[in-house]
Amino acid sequence: MSAIVLLSGVAFISTSAILVTLAGSPPTVSAFYRNAFAAAMWLPVILVGIARGNGAALVRHSGRTWWKFFLLGLFFAVDLWAWHRSIFLIGAGPATLIGNSQVFFIGALAAWLFKERIGRTFWPGAVLAMAGIALLTLTRGLGNDILAGLLFGLVTALTYSAFLLVLKSLLADEIDLPSVLFWTALIAALILLLPAVWERNNPLDESPSAIGWLVLHAFLSSVVGWWLIARGMERLPVWTASTLLLMQPVLTFAEGWIVLGQTVTVVQAAGAVLALAGIRLANSGNAKA
């Protein structure tokens, strides 16, 4: 059941690329609004909880927990910023592929940090899934600045891995989930203001239609999507969650075909099938958290 809940969340966050495309906003501005609007949507939940006498669970945290909140927001902000830089330099396909290599970092760290026993089919399944994602995404070659793009892609994978590990740690501490998601979104939004100013992109310049798409983006991705993913992660090993998150580019590919009318090649279709087979294989071994 937890896997189904997590996959439902992945389905919601897979709409991210479609909604960002429809908004047409600069990457950092889009990332800023995604988090700012998400924080605004979670704020009433926090206030209602406080009004009901649940303030201790929502805003009164230990110093250790506040540090985890900060790290979660920082890693999420850097992940989004670096991923968009990688897209600009080497293209969306290669950037997506490198970013999803988080599955290997998670696999290497899960046993050490959470004492999880990795399933015997995890590694071959992860390799198979990444091969499928490569066929799915590498259709237009690499951009001109390959080295810088690869470095930004690696930063994306590392910060995405760190984000998932810190999130799992907070869930293990049984911190109230709305509190986790609210503070993460708020901290990430504040951090993303810095590169937005540096890039001379004013968030206030966005059109009403762009703001509308970004509000929907925040609701589907950062509110509903990550709430479901976090709920699923509560009872799943982090390495299992990392493999299920590989469904995101597969679902985005399907949505691009359905919503945007993007052309599907035989190679891409084969890649989607291969990725699904790899994800299934990675989770078919016996392991216990």
Side-chain angles (χ1 to χ4, degrees):
M1 184 63 183
S2 295
I4 295 174
V5 172
L6 191 147
L7 285 172
S8 298
V10 173
F12 278 101
I13 69 170
S14 70
T15 63
S16 177
I18 304 296
L19 295 172
V20 167
T21 300
L22 293 172
S25 303
T28 304
V29 172
S30 173
F32 163 75
Y33 272 126
R34 167 182 176 169
N35 288 283
F37 287 140
M41 292 173 191
W42 280 116
L43 182 58
V45 178
I46 301 296
L47 295 177
V48 169
I50 293 174
R52 292 179 175 177
N54 196 28
L58 293 168
V59 297
R60 298 175 189 172
H61 304 290
S62 67
R64 182 171 176 267
T65 298
W66 281 114
W67 270 111
K68 288 184 180 182
F69 285 158
F70 174 76
L71 289 174
L72 206 60
L74 175 64
F75 288 141
F76 195 49
V78 175
D79 166 59
L80 292 174
W81 182 82
W83 182 51
H84 286 299
R85 301 285 79 69
S86 182
I87 289 173
F88 176 77
L89 293 168
I90 58 176
T96 298
L97 177 65
I98 300 169
N100 277 280
S101 66
Q102 55 83 14
V103 67
F104 299 118
F105 296 110
I106 292 292
L109 292 170
W112 175 45
L113 293 175
F114 298 106
K115 311 303 181 185
E116 293 179 354
R117 293 176 54 195
I118 305 299
R120 62 181 181 273
T121 59
F122 170 79
W123 293 108
V127 171
L128 187 64
M130 289 297 289
I133 294 173
L135 292 177
L136 189 63
T137 58
L138 300 182
T139 57
R140 298 181 181 178
L142 292 172
N144 295 325
D145 203 341
I146 297 174
L147 180 59
L150 292 176
L151 288 174
F152 277 116
L154 182 60
V155 170
T156 301
L158 289 171
T159 51
Y160 194 19
S161 301
F163 171 82
L164 293 174
L165 292 170
V166 175
L167 177 58
K168 181 66 175 179
S169 176
L170 281 166
L171 295 175
D173 292 341
E174 298 185 351
I175 304 299
D176 187 85
L177 187 52
S179 182
V180 172
L181 296 175
F182 168 71
W183 289 111
T184 299
L186 181 61
I187 292 168
L190 293 174
I191 291 173
L192 284 163
L193 276 177
L194 299 176
V197 172
W198 176 60
E199 295 164 5
R200 298 181 179 179
N201 289 321
N202 185 354
L204 299 178
D205 290 339
E206 297 305 298
S207 66
S209 62
I211 293 296
W213 287 118
L214 294 172
V215 168
L216 182 61
H217 180 207
F219 177 71
L220 293 180
S221 295
S222 290
V223 177
V224 179
W226 275 104
W227 184 82
L228 288 169
I229 290 170
R231 281 297 181 208
M233 285 181 66
E234 287 177 334
R235 296 187 178 182
L236 289 174
V238 68
W239 61 267
T240 298
S242 72
T243 57
L244 295 177
L245 284 166
L246 295 179
M247 281 293 297
Q248 182 180 353
V250 179
L251 292 173
T252 300
F253 161 76
E255 290 158 5
W257 170 54
I258 296 169
V259 178
L260 301 180
Q262 295 174 342
T263 303
V264 178
T265 67
V266 174
V267 172
Q268 288 175 316
V273 173
L274 196 63
L276 291 173
I279 293 168
R280 178 68 183 88
L281 176 63
N283 289 286
S284 64
N286 295 321
K288 295 182 179 179

